Amino acid sequence: MLKRMRWYLWVLMGVLLAYIGISVYFMEHFFPGTTINGENAGFFTKAQAERLILEQAGEYTLELKERDGNLLTLDPKEMGVTYYETDAVGKVKRRQNGFLWPRMFWTRDFYRIAAGTRFEEDAFREAVGELSCLKGGERSRDAWIEMTEEGYRVHPEAYGTQVDRETLEEQIRGAVSNQLERLSLEESGCYMPPAVTADSPKIKALSGKLDRWLGTRVTYVFGPESEPVDPKALAGFITLEGLEASLNPEAVAAWVGELAEKRDTYGQERKFKSTLRGTITVKGGNFGWQIDQEAESLALLKHVEAGEVLEKEPAYLHRGNAWSSNYDIGDTYVEVDMGAQHMWVYKDGKAVIDTDVVTGDMRRNRGTPAVVASIQYKARNAVLRGPGYATPVKYWMPFYGGCGIHDASWRRAFGGEIYQTDGSHGCVNTPPDAAEIVYETVEAGTPVILYY
């Protein structure tokens, strides 16, 4: 029994000594199944592993992959790069505890260990500068916005092939130091990117501003008709300089000017449905529609800036009575047929005065102007003054250039041919009773149509 126990002890001591011996061995050697940089390093000593790493470094080359798929092969040794031993192998070996060597039967270790890298700067920079990928190359194009007749168009960015040398040097240093097999110039950000992309804040901000301006819907109302500011006109108001947009006041003013040219009637000839002669053409004077171009240009500029949607009348310097009834004269007006020496006053389309009058003296070249005018104001008990005369009247209604309608109590007769030799200084002399009714009927702005 004692002999058997001694035998067990000797066996146990032998196993223990063997375990310790193997452990001591693997304190200096890598476990079987160890791979360093893709090569078997089982049972390698630290020195052997370091030689392996330096040998690998000596054979190492780097492939540069360009955007078009072209490959450039670089030999670091030709670029002033040298490799040296570091403590990296020792640090890795210390991870393998020799006393835990039994784990080698079920575990495999894979390590990536790079040799120390030293760069001879002048030679390295010179070699990088000679690389073909730095020769020429197309610049990237920034995203940009183009104004068109109907709005705007966003042109996306385009990526070129121009390489950023500073980034390339940095990426090659990293790749060579870590002995990477391939470096993609695109994935590593070596190409100079566009400064502005289609989804950049600048493009989005500009698009938002243009959407607001081009979303403006201003419609000008002229009685039963209307005139919209269409998208083409809105696009013409916008000036683009790079990624900055502004509204052009001159373009807005030009559009309002065209609108005024189309719609203004002030001072222009027009058709008129006369009482005795049917539809005739009458000359312009100081009556009619006239858009205040300066005020409306400023207003339209503000509407577009705010992206407003509205219908409105334009600002006017002068207003007509209507847009379609009797052209712009409407149904309330004074009509003076100077050929017939007769005056009618219509109120809402009904004649309230139908009377003979006396107009300007033709023999003395004082003829009453044939124009479409308007009552400027009304005054009671005025004194009409001129060269050599001062005439008091009860009812004074001036309409054009010092001429007006007033009572003429000194006259015993009206109408006929009186105006040819004994007419007024240019006013419309009216019987007192009729002048009172005219005064009570008309208001400032009432049109006065005078024709021969």
Side-chain angles (χ1 to χ4, degrees):
M1 182 69 177
L2 184 59
K3 289 182 179 179
R4 182 179 297 176
M5 291 180 62
R6 287 176 180 173
W7 186 81
Y8 284 146
L9 288 172
W10 282 110
V11 171
L12 182 59
M13 289 178 64
V15 171
L16 182 59
L17 289 172
Y19 187 89
I20 292 172
I22 296 172
S23 296
V24 170
Y25 177 83
F26 281 114
M27 286 180 182
E28 299 296 329
H29 295 77
F30 284 94
F31 293 158
T34 299
T35 300
I36 296 178
N37 299 341
E39 292 194 28
N40 179 28
F43 302 107
F44 274 32
T45 64
K46 176 183 173 183
Q48 289 174 315
E50 288 174 343
R51 284 197 298 272
L52 171 64
I53 292 170
L54 288 177
E55 289 173 1
Q56 290 175 330
E59 298 173 356
Y60 166 71
T61 58
L62 172 64
E63 278 190 341
L64 296 183
K65 182 182 179 182
E66 298 184 65
R67 178 169 283 157
D68 60 4
N70 185 45
L71 296 176
L72 299 176
T73 301
L74 307 184
D75 186 342
K77 296 187 296 297
E78 297 177 357
M79 303 177 70
V81 179
T82 56
Y83 294 99
Y84 59 90
E85 295 179 2
T86 68
D87 191 37
V89 173
K91 290 179 180 179
V92 169
K93 181 64 191 79
R94 286 192 287 273
R95 298 178 194 172
Q96 291 187 348
N97 189 331
F99 286 96
L100 300 179
W101 57 265
R103 75 175 181 82
M104 67 185 180
F105 294 109
W106 63 81
T107 301
R108 296 290 182 268
D109 292 325
F110 299 89
Y111 298 111
R112 182 74 185 174
I113 305 174
T117 310
R118 185 179 292 111
F119 293 86
E120 202 290 299
E121 290 299 327
D122 291 342
F124 177 76
R125 290 182 59 82
E126 182 179 354
V128 171
E130 293 299 321
L131 294 177
S132 60
C133 61
L134 285 174
K135 307 298 183 183
E138 183 180 354
R139 292 178 62 88
S140 294
R141 187 185 70 227
D142 290 347
W144 59 291
I145 291 182
E146 175 190 18
M147 290 303 304
T148 68
E149 287 189 352
E150 301 302 324
Y152 70 94
R153 176 186 174 191
V154 178
H155 293 267
E157 68 278 7
Y159 289 84
T161 55
Q162 192 173 55
V163 174
D164 183 341
R165 175 169 176 167
E166 184 176 340
T167 303
L168 178 62
E169 285 186 5
E170 179 183 346
Q171 292 298 320
I172 291 178
R173 286 178 190 275
V176 168
S177 297
N178 292 284
Q179 295 181 33
L180 302 182
E181 293 181 359
R182 178 174 292 181
L183 175 65
S184 169
L185 300 187
E186 184 164 18
E187 294 174 3
S188 59
C190 290
Y191 290 109
M192 296 181 70
V196 180
T197 61
D199 59 355
S200 68
K202 288 184 177 181
I203 291 290
K204 289 183 177 179
L206 178 55
S207 297
K209 179 184 286 188
L210 295 177
D211 287 338
R212 183 176 77 249
W213 291 349
L214 294 170
T216 301
R217 293 294 179 266
V218 176
T219 301
Y220 288 101
V221 178
F222 303 94
E225 299 181 357
S226 61
E227 194 83 39
V229 184
D230 59 32
K232 182 178 179 180
L234 289 170
F237 296 163
I238 299 172
T239 298
L240 271 183
E241 294 182 0
L243 296 180
E244 297 295 329
S246 61
L247 293 174
N248 186 337
E250 288 77 15
V252 175
W255 188 89
V256 172
E258 292 177 1
L259 180 68
E261 184 177 351
K262 181 177 181 181
R263 294 291 179 173
D264 281 0
T265 62
Y266 184 84
Q268 299 179 13
E269 287 187 348
R270 56 178 51 75
K271 297 294 184 180
F272 172 67
K273 297 176 183 177
S274 68
T275 302
L276 299 180
R277 308 188 195 187
T279 300
I280 61 175
T281 299
V282 290
K283 297 179 180 180
N286 60 4
F287 173 80
W289 298 98
Q290 184 178 30
I291 293 174
D292 185 338
Q293 296 187 36
E294 182 177 355
E296 194 53 45
S297 295
L298 291 175
L300 179 55
L301 198 63
K302 291 180 179 178
H303 297 324
V304 177
E305 177 63 43
E308 294 180 322
V309 177
L310 74 160
E311 290 186 352
K312 62 171 294 188
E313 279 192 341
Y316 287 110
L317 288 172
H318 300 279
R319 299 180 67 91
N321 266 12
W323 277 106
S324 59
S325 177
N326 205 0
Y327 304 95
D328 62 348
I329 292 168
D331 298 324
T332 298
Y333 57 90
V334 178
E335 177 184 358
V336 182
D337 184 336
M338 293 180 291
Q341 288 292 285
H342 205 83
M343 179 173 70
W344 296 265
V345 176
Y346 288 90
K347 177 73 171 180
D348 299 326
K350 297 181 179 180
V352 295
I353 285 294
D354 181 349
T355 180
D356 285 336
V357 293
V358 175
T359 60
D361 194 315
M362 300 299 288
R363 184 179 63 179
R364 294 180 175 85
N365 294 321
R366 297 172 180 168
T368 303
V371 293
V372 178
S374 63
I375 301 296
Q376 302 300 296
Y377 62 90
K378 300 191 302 181
R380 287 295 308 274
N381 301 316
V383 177
L384 309 182
R385 300 181 185 277
Y389 72 91
T391 306
V393 297
K394 291 183 178 180
Y395 307 102
W396 171 234
M397 294 158 278
F399 55 76
Y400 187 82
C403 298
I405 301 170
H406 61 78
D407 55 296
S409 57
W410 58 89
R411 288 193 182 276
R412 295 183 179 181
F414 295 87
E417 300 295 321
I418 298 172
Y419 78 107
Q420 293 287 354
T421 57
D422 189 24
S424 70
H425 287 82
C427 292
V428 179
N429 290 179
T430 307
D433 291 344
E436 180 180 3
I437 298 174
V438 175
Y439 188 89
E440 292 173 351
T441 302
V442 302
E443 301 292 341
T446 299
V448 181
I449 301 92
L450 305 105
Y451 56 91
Y452 285 96

